[in-house]
Amino acid sequence: MPVSRRVAELMKGSSWIRRMFEEGARLKAAHGAENVFDFSLGNPVLEPPPEVVEAFRAALDEPAAGTHRYMPNAGYPKVREAVAEFLTRDYGVPFAADRLLMCTGAGGGLNVVLKSILDPGDEVLVVSPWFPEYQFYVDNHGGRMVAVPAGPGFLPDPAALEAAAGPRTAAVLLNTPNNPTGVVYGQETLDAVGEALRRASARTGRVIHLVSDEPYRRILFDGRRPASVFRAYGPTILVTSHSKDLAIPGERIGVVAIGPDCPDGAALAGAFTFANRVLGFVNAPALQQRAVARLQGLTVDPRIYERKRDLLCGALQAAGYEVVRPGGAFYLFPRAPGGDDLAFVNRLLRERILVVPGSGFGAPGHFRVAYCVEDREIEGAIPGFARCLRDPGA
Ligand SMILES: Cc1ncc(COP(=O)(O)O)c(C=O)c1O
């Protein structure tokens, strides 16, 4: 067997999302893509704003020699300065360019951070439901992911996080706006988590890092303003990317930023730079770095996703689905009628509607709808969603 037992085992565990992908391909071949309603992937439907294409052109046209060569593993100093300046304004705390690493998307950044802070057997607490890749990222670096159920409204439960922390806890990994629930954590929630982690760190005698995964930070609805995790807790590391805010996930560009009050920031920055190199990323893509330096603060229009949320969430609620109304990102996480998410996802498949069962996110009894699709796909799926609720056995 050419594939390691470990990878074979992990691949089996990730089979739900793969299965939906394969089902989607099969249904599209059989019925035509326009007759399949695919809500299985968080791939943004929007094109990047025109400024993005212009910035790529301008970066390509830069006259200086050597622009395609290797660079410092943490990224171009000038780009890191531009990003530090923006993050300082955005989060209301001072960021330094030398505590910042340009990375290959948030996924790359999370792997850099976890490689740098985990010893074998160390634990990372995540709030369930969680983004499925977390379990693999933690496993990549010999860690153990520990799921802590969310409290009401899918918000993190500070007391439960505090209770779950032990001597092996190296980090808590939070994600807001959240995939898969679309829930946004406000400042009060973050402050309560910060308090809980301060107490837990004092008890365990180890600094527990808060790793804040925020690629959806700028996709907020109903006039919400983003909160600042750095104001809530000192030992915080931000991981983010432009996959969703600029709608360029294929370009693989992101940032890791160490908070100004994070102890041993210089040592961490050195470790991140080393990890970025030896994980084989070497440095984040050069052209992308130079382009996004010109684009700090730019975002796709979140009102487009907000309208899609209104359309779908409104229709599902009117049909009788129980769903927490999301405040950002582009996901819904309704309760599966009847409680069996796998059975209900299969029922939706008979309407040619593809979603992902909550079991894939550590939260059985729900399902995830990624509504970053065209309006006509949402409109086309609404009658099928309603039929499934009226007649779950059909
Ligand atoms: C919560 C969360 N974190 C990280 C990522 C990875 O993002 P990137 O494309 O920047 O690697 C995603 C992508 O969907 C995500 O939903």
Side-chain angles (χ1 to χ4, degrees):
M1 164 88 150
V3 176
S4 75
R5 281 191 295 277
R6 183 77 191 123
V7 167
E9 193 187 312
L10 291 170
M11 284 173 72
K12 241 192 278 157
S14 73
S15 63
W16 260 111
I17 293 185
R18 261 200 9 236
R19 175 161 171 227
M20 296 322 292
F21 181 78
E22 283 157 16
E23 277 296 335
R26 191 183 63 74
L27 285 174
K28 284 171 193 169
H31 301 280
E34 67 287 1
N35 296 312
V36 177
F37 311 107
D38 189 350
F39 300 95
S40 64
L41 284 182
N43 207 2
V45 65
L46 303 185
E47 286 302 315
E51 292 92 327
V52 174
V53 179
E54 280 160 30
F56 270 89
R57 274 212 188 94
L60 201 53
D61 286 343
E62 269 170 24
T67 52
H68 302 291
R69 294 182 191 150
Y70 289 125
M71 69 185 77
N73 297 120
Y76 288 114
K78 276 208 160 352
V79 173
R80 290 154 68 206
E81 272 164 30
V83 174
E85 200 177 292
F86 172 70
L87 290 180
T88 298
R89 268 185 282 130
D90 192 23
Y91 285 87
V93 294
F95 283 93
D98 64 356
R99 298 286 192 276
L100 215 135
L101 173 108
M102 300 306 293
C103 62
T104 309
L110 287 167
N111 275 280
V112 162
V113 171
L114 294 171
K115 181 170 182 63
S116 303
I117 64 173
L118 295 182
D119 276 314
D122 276 351
E123 293 172 357
V124 178
L125 309 186
V126 302
V127 177
S128 55
W130 26 260
F131 175 52
E133 300 303 83
Y134 288 164
Q135 58 194 319
F136 306 116
Y137 294 170
V138 172
D139 179 86
N140 282 346
H141 308 292
R144 204 168 75 80
M145 188 181 92
V146 176
V148 179
F154 295 124
L155 289 171
D157 178 343
L161 287 169
E162 186 178 345
R168 298 309 309 262
T169 305
V172 170
L173 175 46
L174 285 192
N175 165 228
T176 176
N178 187 265
N179 176 8
T181 64
V183 165
V184 178
Y185 306 166
Q187 193 64 47
E188 240 176 65
T189 299
L190 295 177
D191 288 347
V193 169
E195 274 299 315
L197 295 191
R198 267 188 288 279
R199 282 194 298 269
S201 295
R203 173 168 54 77
T204 64
R206 175 175 182 172
V207 173
I208 299 172
H209 286 100
L210 180 54
V211 180
S212 194
D213 178 23
E214 302 190 28
Y216 302 93
R217 177 173 179 81
R218 316 201 73 72
I219 304 180
L220 292 177
F221 309 149
D222 311 316
R224 280 182 179 74
R225 310 269 314 142
S228 172
V229 72
F230 294 97
R231 291 185 172 197
Y233 188 60
T236 290
I237 301 160
L238 168 72
V239 181
T240 187
S241 76
H242 295 294
S243 294
K244 318 289 173 165
D245 60 14
L246 296 180
I248 52 171
E251 304 297 352
R252 316 304 305 137
I253 185 72
V255 181
V256 176
I258 300 167
D261 299 324
C262 190
D264 298 319
L268 280 175
F272 293 171
T273 306
F274 172 78
N276 201 36
R277 186 184 105 210
V278 301
L279 284 171
F281 299 123
V282 181
N283 55 249
L287 185 69
Q288 278 79 328
Q289 284 192 50
R290 298 205 305 277
V292 300
R294 301 161 190 261
L295 298 167
Q296 293 302 296
L298 183 75
T299 311
V300 294
D301 185 350
R303 287 170 305 182
I304 300 175
Y305 289 125
E306 187 175 330
R307 279 198 293 274
K308 292 181 192 295
R309 179 216 47 189
D310 290 344
L311 179 61
L312 185 60
C313 192
L316 293 188
Q317 283 174 328
Y321 282 88
E322 207 182 309
V323 56
V324 174
R325 188 177 164 84
F330 37 59
Y331 305 102
L332 283 176
F333 203 60
R335 204 175 269 284
D340 181 341
D341 54 325
L342 305 188
F344 194 72
V345 166
N346 278 322
R347 173 68 187 92
L348 286 168
L349 271 179
R350 293 199 286 280
E351 300 285 343
R352 300 192 298 278
I353 296 173
L354 291 139
V355 299
V356 183
S359 298
F361 304 88
H366 295 82
F367 61 98
R368 187 192 75 170
V369 188
Y371 59 84
C372 44
V373 298
E374 299 289 357
D375 287 359
R376 62 180 143 70
E377 206 163 340
I378 298 175
E379 282 155 2
I382 287 170
F385 274 115
R387 272 194 297 275
C388 289
L389 195 65
R390 274 200 313 271
D391 193 358

